Amino acid sequence: MQFQDDIIAYTERAALGALMLDGDQLAQVSRWLRATDFADPWHGEVFKTLLELHRAGGTTDPQALGAALAERIRPRLADLPRIHEVLAATPERPDTLTYTRHVAETGMRREVGLQGVLLEAGALGAAQAGESRTMTGTCDLVDAALDTVQERWDRSRGRTPTAGLGPVRLRAMAQDPARFLRADRQVTAGPRRDVGVERVNERRLMASLMLHPSAIGGVAEWLTPANLTDLACRAQFTAMLDLTRTCTGVDPVTVMWETQKLVHVAQEPVDLAAVRAAVEEVRLHGEAPERLAANVAGDQLRRIAENATFHIRTQAGNSMLDVGEAIGVGRAFTTTLRRVATALPHERLDTGDRHLALVPTPALDNAAGQASAAVMSR
């Protein structure tokens, strides 16, 4: 909104003017304020110049600033008449710390709000490659950025930082502003989600779990019925989880019997013929549950990352909420994405010999397979 943009620009000018008049405040302000927090790039250059003057032991008055700025970025880009605009926006008795906190908060909210696109790019890469390393690495990077913002937020409020800073390498990478542009280009150029394909993947996974019940526990570690997009699959997975908890045998007949009791979950009668066809297809092709689980996990990563982009941006953009709350939302999504990524191998293996959490037990799976064959032969 134009009004909000005008207020931000006005506050940035007032903050810079206050720092020009009282350069001693730069030592404290620099603990939480960055040049990238300024929405106006020229304001960011002015702040960098003020910091350089202060650290060199020089004065930060308008004349010294103008000369140093022209030397740093050349006279044309320095646009020295704008320094008068900065001074004109500065009250007679400026509250330097308050103004700079406002500028820093705006920058922090902007930085937190952009983390979602990184998660989308990581999810896309992991889904396409069929491996978890891309997703977990992206989550590490996002968490490092959130930790850094949390530290700055605490310092700007006069609190002892509570976030544990990650490795220096990750912290440096998290401060690269170009990473957002690269991620956005990757997401824009990548294929869009196909909900139809996602539902087919879910149906095939449910069919495979009916044939390989020993894999149900492993899938349940990262997938819940509520996260399935296909309502019939929600009911089937709920039934399988209930049967597993009660140590009841799991096979297509038992699952479908229990599923018909869960019409309130599926919201409509489950198509028995479609389920039987899916079970038969999976059985004939001998598709292992870990492979089908990896497909669904890739779909889940992309869906969750899309939701993350919306919710993180919404929370960060709501000035009525504490920045720490937006950071908490971001961390909740990285935790969820890491958990789902465990269904994928750490690295892509061309041999197909993937090491996953799903380890079928032959005895249980053979029993389920025999029951399925009996049903399909009817």
Side-chain angles (χ1 to χ4, degrees), residues 63-74:
Q63 291 76 20
L65 171 66
L69 186 63
E71 183 178 351
R72 275 191 72 251
I73 60 175
R74 299 193 301 274

Side-chain angles (χ1 to χ4, degrees), residues 244-281:
T244 301
R245 292 190 192 99
T246 58
C247 298
T248 305
V250 175
D251 59 53
V253 176
T254 309
V255 171
M256 293 313 299
W257 178 261
E258 294 299 319
T259 298
Q260 56 91 21
K261 301 177 183 178
L262 301 170
V263 176
H264 64 285
V265 176
Q267 298 182 15
E268 61 182 23
V270 177
D271 187 342
L272 177 59
V275 175
R276 292 180 63 183
V279 171
E280 178 66 8
E281 179 185 0

Side-chain angles (χ1 to χ4, degrees), residues 336-347:
T336 300
L337 288 166
R338 279 196 184 90
R339 185 174 66 249
V340 174
T342 60
L344 300 173
H346 180 63
E347 295 182 354

Side-chain angles (χ1 to χ4, degrees), residues 58-339:
T59 61
T60 58
D61 59 71
Q63 291 76 20
L65 171 66
L69 186 63
E71 183 178 351
R72 275 191 72 251
I73 60 175
R74 299 193 301 274
R76 184 178 65 83
L77 296 177
D79 199 3
L80 297 183
R82 292 190 65 182
I83 294 179
H84 297 288
E85 296 178 6
V86 169
L87 293 172
T90 308
E92 290 185 11
R93 296 180 179 178
D95 188 342
T96 308
L97 295 183
T98 297
Y99 303 161
T100 53
R101 283 181 179 129
H102 291 334
V103 174
E105 178 178 347
T106 302
M108 291 181 214
R109 290 184 182 278
R110 189 185 313 116
E111 183 173 358
V112 172
L114 288 171
Q115 299 304 316
V117 71
L118 297 182
L119 296 177
E120 281 197 76
L124 173 61
Q128 288 182 318
E131 47 81 19
S132 66
R133 185 171 57 176
T134 301
M135 188 74 262
T136 55
T138 301
C139 288
D140 289 343
L141 183 62
V142 169
D143 280 343
L146 295 177
D147 284 348
T148 301
V149 173
Q150 181 70 65
E151 181 199 29
R152 294 203 294 135
W153 177 247
D154 289 338
R155 291 188 186 282
S156 71
R157 264 45 194 173
R159 300 192 296 254
T160 301
T162 57
L165 295 178
V168 174
R169 180 180 62 84
L170 283 180
R171 288 161 55 189
M173 292 174 62
Q175 294 177 26
D176 175 17
R179 69 193 187 282
F180 299 117
L181 181 59
R182 291 193 296 268
D184 184 65
R185 287 174 176 170
Q186 181 181 348
V187 172
T188 302
R192 293 182 176 274
R193 285 178 53 214
D194 188 327
V195 177
V197 171
E198 291 177 5
R199 289 178 175 172
V200 169
N201 288 339
E202 291 175 358
R203 292 165 190 164
R204 293 172 68 191
L205 174 59
M206 293 302 108
S208 181
L209 293 178
M210 294 181 202
L211 297 173
H212 305 279
S214 62
I216 294 173
V219 172
E221 291 180 359
W222 58 269
L223 181 66
T224 65
N227 286 334
L228 292 166
T229 58
D230 186 272
L231 297 179
C233 289
R234 288 186 187 181
Q236 293 168 43
F237 196 37
T238 299
M240 283 187 270
L241 292 176
D242 290 342
L243 290 169
T244 301
R245 292 190 192 99
T246 58
C247 298
T248 305
V250 175
D251 59 53
V253 176
T254 309
V255 171
M256 293 313 299
W257 178 261
E258 294 299 319
T259 298
Q260 56 91 21
K261 301 177 183 178
L262 301 170
V263 176
H264 64 285
V265 176
Q267 298 182 15
E268 61 182 23
V270 177
D271 187 342
L272 177 59
V275 175
R276 292 180 63 183
V279 171
E280 178 66 8
E281 179 185 0
V282 170
R283 186 175 67 84
L284 290 176
H285 289 86
E287 293 179 300
E290 59 265 31
R291 289 186 177 278
L292 299 177
N295 292 337
V296 173
D299 297 336
Q300 288 286 314
L301 289 176
R302 295 199 63 189
R303 185 181 66 82
I304 294 169
E306 280 189 8
N307 289 337
T309 296
F310 172 77
H311 288 290
I312 295 174
R313 186 176 296 161
T314 300
Q315 294 286 320
N318 187 346
S319 59
M320 299 299 292
L321 297 177
D322 190 282
V323 170
E325 294 182 55
I327 292 172
V329 171
R331 286 175 176 156
F333 274 108
T334 58
T335 298
T336 300
L337 288 166
R338 279 196 184 90
R339 185 174 66 249

Side-chain angles (χ1 to χ4, degrees), residues 25-90:
Q25 297 279 12
L26 281 162
Q28 181 176 356
V29 167
S30 62
R31 299 175 66 210
W32 67 74
L33 183 62
R34 290 179 179 169
T36 52
D37 289 332
F38 291 88
D40 187 324
W42 184 82
H43 291 164
E45 293 297 334
V46 171
F47 181 66
K48 289 180 185 178
T49 306
L50 287 171
L51 280 178
E52 290 180 1
L53 287 171
H54 176 71
R55 289 167 180 167
T59 61
T60 58
D61 59 71
Q63 291 76 20
L65 171 66
L69 186 63
E71 183 178 351
R72 275 191 72 251
I73 60 175
R74 299 193 301 274
R76 184 178 65 83
L77 296 177
D79 199 3
L80 297 183
R82 292 190 65 182
I83 294 179
H84 297 288
E85 296 178 6
V86 169
L87 293 172
T90 308

